[in-house]
Amino acid sequence: MNGLQEYVDELAREIGLDHDEVAARKAFLELGEDDVEALRDVHGLLATHRDLFSERFYAHLMSFPQLRAMLGDGVEARLRRVQASYFDSLTAGDYDEDYIRERLRVGATHERIGLDPKWYIGAYRKYLSELVGLLWRRLQEQPERFHTAVDAVLKIVCFDMGLALDTYAHAGQRSLRQNQNYLEQVIDGMPAGLMVIDAELRAHSMNRTMADLLDVPDDLLLEQRLALEELIPSPELAVRAAEALASGAPHDNVLVTLDGRADGVRYADFNIRRAYKDGAPMLLLIGQDMTFRRKARLRLQESEEFFRLTFNQAAVGIVLLGGDGRVLRTNSKMSQILGYSEIELLQRFYQQFMGQDELAEEQAMIARLRGGEVADYQREKRLLRRDGSQVWVSVNVSSMRDASGNQRFICVVRDIQRQKQAEEALLRMANHDALTGLPNRLLMQDRLSQAIMQAHRAGRQVAVMFIDLDRFKHVNDSLGHDAGDALIVEIARRLSGSLRESDTVARQGGDEFVVVLPDLGGQEDAGKVARKLLDNLFQPLALCGQEVFPSGSIGIAMYPGDGLDGATLLKCADSAMYGSKAKGGNQYAFYTAEMGEQATQHLRLEGALQRALQRDEFLLHYQPVVDIGSGRVTGVEALLRWQPAGHPMVSPAEFIPLAEETGLIVPIGDWVLATAMRQQVAWVRAGIGPVRISVNLSARQFLGQDVAQRVAALLEETGCDPGYLTLEITESVLMENPAAATETMGQLAAMGVQLAIDDFGTGYSSLASLKRFPIHSLKIDRSFVMDLTQDADDAAIVNAVIALAHSMKLNVIAEGVETNEQLAFLQARGCDQMQGYCFSRPVEPQRIEAMLRVS
């Protein structure tokens, strides 16, 4: 571990990762304190999902055979723990020197085990995909927080990957330097060596000179007595030694070639003499190293051979250029980089591998090198390959002179194509939407700033369009998110195909797009483009076997009239888009000052609504439900009211749609349900009742959570009698997801809760389609009751609904009954119950109690 830490510290110094460099990198990535806070926010959001996230991440890694083989069982378990800590610290919010050293240590570890950058980048891609998906699920109701979180994650990921790629690149450079350096060992000769051979021609002992000559370790002869042929594989020497042992005749000048040694071939001259020890014959081999005279030449040959092998097997391209740029010598790696054979390269000049945009700068640097202004230089550039394609390389060029004094240039060329591709992939990932490939918010803002600067210089205008798809949620809910994604991709294609090359279309997020139109003459030009976009959007599209006609609402802001900077223009275009959507969608609207005021009021109201639950500013009013035949109050409907402290009561028409839009309707609706149930129990305890109480369920309540489970919990908590609780669901909610609605309503009916269809007649259902649902009552929408005494069509509709509902044994309640004429009509047609100002407005609980006691 200490060795690795020392290597990491050395690596940081060599790369130059001092305080100023780290600060510059963070500044270039715009990684600031706001991003650190956002990352800490992400850290908290991940706390309960980290184990599941880790399982998915490693399941993805181990699905690749290459990684599975590389990691293995033991390494994978260890790396899982290390990597979990690694990703945990990624969003922890502490990015000091210890953090950077830890990132370099991880990068160095990955490089040592052979984990190529492609796996590193792929793992990060998987991490980002999982993380963005998780953040979207957690923050889809808070888009600004979501975008801030994703932006901060992208910045720290790019910061980390930059450190990792630097680690890989520097490791490659260190390896290159190691390949270029070699150690040449010179073996000094000795005057003579002596070896004692026994009668079995096995070595008994030898002196230091002979050991050096034969490259025998000091303790080898202590372990075993090696045969002469093993020590000196020379058949002639073996024959002469046998003859000398047998006859006693000396043998001189036996020349032996010692081959297969690390230091090359040696030549030795041996003299053989027989001797006796303790009456036993033995041989004395006296060896003289004859290499000394040839040593200089052999060294030169060895050096040349080593250079040739290193030159040809180097992991980088090496080129020797003449003074005029002709290729004088090259290696096989250079052929691989450029796609030429070595012979073809030797017939060319370096200028032939350069593009015209690169050549001038390269020739200028060569001129400075030739003139002695610089000793060497390094550049990253693109070279032309044999097939016409371009390859990114890093080139180091140095000057030298040959034996004749001619100037030559040595070029070391490293292929960095993969590194550049990785950088481009990171840049694209940071600047483009993953689903559509369109520019994302960051890139769009940059292009908008450029368009504004150009328009300012040229005295032209810029249009910013904010586009939101109409009814996109219905596609997701009815056909699924895959169909929604397919629709988004097709919309992106249609928008891109409708614009000029100089225009920008970006995905803002979800079903929102932004279009930047530079260099316009005025609003008329922007209006023509908007009309064209709407026409192209409204073309039929087949999704999951269904024909869909997409449409959108477009808000337009103009520079310089509506704002002088990108942020202001985007805000104005967003406000204009809401104005367009309020008119029914599938149209465009230009920003006006009134829209800004409405947006400010909308934001202020939203803030107050966020705090209303905490401040206990909501209350319930109750409107009687009257039996038309007897005139008796048979129940009440709980209606939500908002009374801000110190301010007038806010109309439900103002705050209910806002609560639906922001998602606050879910906790508010839960409060309404619980409060109404407690009120019903309170009336029973006061001797009133039992009173049937009706409560409206919002679409988000009914479709977005387990309503049946929540109602069951509240019934047990409050003691409310389910037989006197009616839950009202709008007709349109049922039609969004009939299968899910049927299941939920079945669970509620099984508890004894009654169910009513509210606003009947305003949706797309029929009485026949409602047969599948376990409902008890229909409430005729007030829009039909309002004119039933003057409008024959409304009268016919009401009459038909009453008759058909009774045929299905359903109770019918008319809403919005305000006149005696309307009441008489309904009574004559057999309508069961009514609500409306004809009997009573919604009133406070104390006032409704009096009506209930009378009834």
Side-chain angles (χ1 to χ4, degrees):
M1 178 61 72
N2 290 336
L4 178 58
Q5 189 58 52
E6 291 175 0
Y7 172 75
V8 169
D9 292 339
E10 182 180 356
L11 190 64
R13 289 192 298 272
E14 293 177 355
I15 294 176
L17 284 176
D18 55 16
H19 180 270
D20 291 339
E21 172 61 15
V22 171
R25 292 190 180 203
K26 290 181 178 179
F28 185 74
L29 290 170
E30 299 180 339
L31 179 61
E33 288 301 318
D34 290 342
D35 299 300
V36 172
E37 289 302 319
L39 288 167
R40 289 172 178 160
D41 185 25
V42 172
H43 194 78
L45 292 174
L46 292 178
T48 58
H49 299 272
R50 192 164 284 110
D51 291 341
L52 177 61
F53 175 83
S54 179
E55 289 299 324
R56 290 179 176 174
F57 179 78
Y58 269 90
H60 172 71
L61 290 188
M62 299 305 288
S63 66
F64 294 92
Q66 299 97 320
L67 283 179
R68 195 163 55 248
M70 184 184 303
L71 297 178
D73 294 335
V75 178
E76 186 270 344
R78 179 172 58 84
L79 285 183
R80 181 188 294 268
R81 294 191 298 272
V82 174
Q83 202 74 356
S85 175
Y86 177 85
F87 282 131
D88 184 65
S89 65
L90 185 67
T91 56
D94 295 321
Y95 308 112
D96 54 9
E97 293 180 359
D98 292 338
Y99 177 90
I100 292 172
R101 282 197 297 271
E102 177 63 12
R103 265 29 187 183
L104 290 178
R105 187 190 66 79
V106 173
T109 302
H110 288 171
E111 189 273 331
R112 285 187 174 186
I113 67 175
L115 192 68
D116 288 342
K118 65 181 179 184
W119 300 113
Y120 198 85
I121 294 171
Y124 252 126
R125 195 283 312 160
K126 178 64 177 177
Y127 171 75
L128 285 175
S129 296
E130 291 284 344
L131 179 57
V132 170
L134 174 60
L135 291 176
W136 177 243
R137 291 192 294 273
R138 294 294 304 274
L139 302 176
Q140 59 181 323
E141 301 298 337
Q142 304 176 56
E144 194 63 34
R145 185 181 174 193
F146 170 75
H147 290 303
T148 300
V150 171
D151 186 42
V153 168
L154 284 175
K155 290 178 183 179
I156 194 63
V157 165
C158 290
F159 181 75
D160 276 18
M161 294 192 74
L163 294 175
L165 290 176
D166 281 350
T167 304
Y168 276 92
H170 198 73
Q173 292 173 357
R174 291 171 66 96
S175 176
L176 174 62
R177 290 194 297 269
Q178 291 171 357
N179 289 335
Q180 292 175 333
N181 297 324
Y182 64 89
L183 176 64
E184 182 177 1
Q185 180 181 4
V186 178
I187 301 176
D188 296 329
M190 294 296 177
L194 175 64
M195 182 190 302
V196 179
I197 305 296
D198 62 18
E200 297 178 352
L201 296 182
R202 290 185 174 274
H204 186 272
S205 64
M206 66 179 67
N207 67 358
R208 178 74 264 163
T209 302
M210 183 64 78
D212 290 343
L213 179 64
L214 300 180
D215 199 20
V216 175
D218 293 340
D219 56 351
L220 181 61
L221 292 183
L222 298 177
E223 299 176 1
Q224 55 181 316
R225 294 186 177 183
L226 298 178
L228 177 61
E229 292 184 355
E230 293 183 54
L231 289 170
I232 309 175
S234 171
E236 183 180 358
L237 182 63
V239 170
R240 297 292 184 90
E243 290 177 355
L245 187 63
S247 64
H251 290 270
D252 296 329
N253 304 121
V254 180
L255 296 176
V256 174
T257 301
L258 301 176
D259 202 354
R261 296 166 53 87
D263 56 355
V265 177
R266 281 194 174 191
Y267 303 92
D269 183 9
F270 285 95
N271 294 335
I272 307 174
R273 297 291 186 271
R274 187 175 69 175
Y276 289 89
K277 180 181 180 182
D278 299 331
M282 64 180 64
L283 294 178
L284 299 179
L285 264 64
I286 302 149
Q288 183 70 35
D289 191 349
M290 301 300 293
T291 311
F292 301 122
R293 303 173 192 173
R294 308 166 62 183
K295 196 167 188 178
R297 181 171 60 84
L298 293 176
R299 282 183 177 178
L300 181 60
Q301 292 174 348
E302 177 186 354
S303 178
E304 173 63 24
E305 179 66 12
F306 188 85
F307 171 77
R308 185 185 64 81
L309 292 174
T310 303
F311 187 78
N312 285 324
Q313 296 178 12
V316 295
I318 303 175
V319 180
L320 176 64
L321 298 177
D324 58 354
R326 179 183 291 276
V327 177
L328 302 179
R329 190 167 184 180
T330 186
N331 67 349
S332 56
K333 182 63 177 180
M334 198 67 214
S335 296
Q336 179 183 335
I337 292 174
L338 293 179
Y340 291 95
S341 67
E342 292 187 35
I343 295 177
E344 289 174 323
L345 287 175
L346 293 173
Q347 298 172 354
R348 284 166 170 77
F349 295 81
Y350 83 90
Q351 295 92 330
Q352 295 174 266
F353 309 123
M354 307 283 297
Q356 290 301 315
D357 53 341
E358 302 266 8
L359 184 57
E361 185 175 355
E362 190 70 23
Q363 288 177 325
M365 292 302 300
I366 288 288
R368 295 183 64 194
L369 197 63
R370 184 180 288 112
E373 297 181 40
V374 293
D376 54 53
Y377 70 87
Q378 187 272 336
R379 283 189 64 208
E380 289 185 358
K381 59 187 177 184
R382 288 169 296 181
L383 296 181
L384 296 175
R385 289 175 48 83
R386 192 177 192 277
D387 59 7
S389 63
Q390 293 183 324
V391 58
W392 274 102
V393 295
S394 174
V395 180
N396 289 78
V397 185
S398 303
S399 176
M400 61 168 287
R401 294 197 179 269
D402 62 13
S404 301
N406 299 315
Q407 191 171 38
R408 300 285 185 258
F409 302 103
I410 291 290
C411 305
V412 178
V413 182
R414 183 165 57 90
D415 186 345
I416 59 171
Q417 183 74 7
R418 291 172 61 188
Q419 175 184 327
K420 285 294 184 180
Q421 289 173 343
E423 291 174 0
E424 291 173 1
L426 283 174
L427 184 61
R428 181 165 185 83
M429 183 170 60
N431 290 320
H432 288 79
D433 174 57
L435 177 63
T436 63
L438 293 177
N440 62 10
R441 182 183 181 89
L442 289 175
L443 183 55
M444 177 272 296
Q445 288 176 332
D446 180 66
R447 292 185 180 178
L448 176 55
S449 298
Q450 294 180 27
I452 290 173
M453 287 189 294
Q454 293 170 359
H456 177 71
R457 289 194 297 266
R460 301 282 286 174
Q461 297 189 38
V462 177
V464 177
M465 295 182 175
F466 203 104
I467 304 173
D468 185 89
L469 298 185
D470 298 330
R471 299 176 298 280
F472 176 72
K473 183 178 183 300
H474 294 301
V475 174
N476 268 344
D477 292 343
S478 59
L479 301 180
H481 289 282
D482 288 343
D485 287 347
L487 177 59
I488 291 294
V489 171
E490 174 60 18
I491 293 301
R493 187 191 67 79
R494 292 182 181 185
L495 291 174
S496 300
S498 304
L499 299 172
R500 302 170 298 177
E501 187 174 347
S502 59
D503 300 333
T504 295
V505 56
R507 187 182 181 203
Q508 182 83 347
D511 61 335
E512 297 176 339
F513 297 85
V514 173
V515 172
V516 177
L517 303 175
D519 192 28
L520 295 184
Q523 282 193 358
E524 183 179 352
D525 295 338
K528 291 178 181 178
V529 176
R531 186 71 265 163
K532 179 181 178 183
L533 292 178
L534 291 175
D535 290 342
N536 288 345
L537 287 183
F538 197 66
Q539 299 301 315
L541 170 67
L543 289 176
C544 302
Q546 299 290 326
E547 190 173 46
V548 177
F549 287 83
S551 65
S553 297
I554 302 179
I556 308 173
M558 301 295 298
Y559 169 87
D562 298 326
L564 300 178
D565 60 86
T568 302
L569 291 172
L570 285 168
K571 179 181 177 181
C572 292
D574 191 17
S575 297
M577 182 276 294
Y578 279 108
S580 174
K581 191 172 286 289
K583 297 176 183 178
N586 196 32
Q587 54 188 296
Y588 66 88
F590 286 94
Y591 174 78
T592 63
E594 291 77 12
M595 292 178 179
E597 295 173 2
Q598 292 172 3
T600 302
Q601 177 62 25
H602 185 278
L603 189 61
R604 187 180 299 112
L605 186 63
E606 180 180 343
L609 188 61
Q610 293 274 5
R611 298 183 294 271
L613 267 178
Q614 302 171 0
R615 297 178 176 179
D616 198 24
E617 294 178 348
F618 291 114
L619 63 152
L620 293 184
H621 283 187
Y622 297 90
Q623 185 174 40
V625 178
V626 180
D627 181 82
I628 291 180
S630 64
R632 185 173 59 87
V633 176
T634 59
V636 296
E637 179 180 0
L639 298 170
L640 179 64
R641 295 293 183 266
W642 179 18
Q643 178 64 68
H647 295 279
M649 184 174 289
V650 182
S651 169
E654 292 185 41
F655 75 85
I656 293 293
L658 181 59
E660 289 276 5
E661 178 185 332
T662 60
L664 288 171
I665 195 66
V666 174
I668 293 173
D670 193 67
W671 178 87
V672 170
L673 189 59
T675 303
M677 287 185 182
R678 293 189 183 97
Q679 181 64 70
Q680 196 254 22
V681 173
W683 283 334
V684 170
R685 290 173 180 171
I688 305 172
V691 179
R692 173 164 301 284
I693 190 165
S694 300
V695 180
N696 292 283
L697 292 182
S698 72
R700 284 180 180 262
Q701 271 184 290
F702 189 74
L703 298 175
Q705 62 178 9
D706 192 341
V707 175
Q709 182 179 0
R710 182 58 181 155
V711 170
L714 286 175
L715 287 172
E716 182 177 357
E717 177 186 329
T718 62
C720 176
D721 185 349
Y724 286 90
L725 174 64
T726 298
L727 298 180
E728 298 184 6
I729 303 114
T730 62
E731 181 184 7
S732 57
V733 171
L734 297 183
M735 293 301 103
E736 280 194 34
N737 194 339
T742 301
E743 180 180 357
T744 300
M745 294 176 74
Q747 295 173 352
L748 293 170
M751 300 177 196
V753 175
Q754 291 204 356
L755 301 167
I757 305 302
D758 194 17
D759 299 336
F760 184 75
T762 61
Y764 302 99
S765 66
S766 64
L767 284 171
S769 67
L770 296 178
K771 290 172 61 177
R772 75 183 79 172
F773 303 117
I775 58 178
H776 305 84
S777 302
L778 287 182
K779 301 189 74 172
I780 302 175
D781 187 69
R782 66 181 65 250
S783 61
F784 298 106
V785 176
M786 184 186 311
D787 297 322
L788 64 79
T789 58
Q790 288 86 27
D791 190 312
D793 291 336
D794 285 350
I797 291 172
V798 171
N799 193 40
V801 169
I802 294 173
L804 291 174
H806 284 166
S807 70
M808 297 172 63
K809 296 181 174 55
L810 297 178
N811 183 55
V812 181
I813 305 171
E815 296 182 293
V817 180
E818 298 183 357
T819 67
N820 290 327
E821 292 79 5
Q822 294 169 348
L823 179 60
F825 180 94
L826 294 167
Q827 187 175 26
R829 297 327 186 261
C831 183
D832 301 299
Q833 295 171 317
M834 58 80 73
Q835 289 177 243
Y837 293 176
C838 180
F839 186 85
S840 172
R841 292 174 177 269
V843 296
E844 298 86 349
Q846 298 80 4
R847 293 180 59 188
I848 199 70
E849 286 182 9
M851 300 182 192
L852 294 173
R853 290 184 186 278
V854 171
S855 298

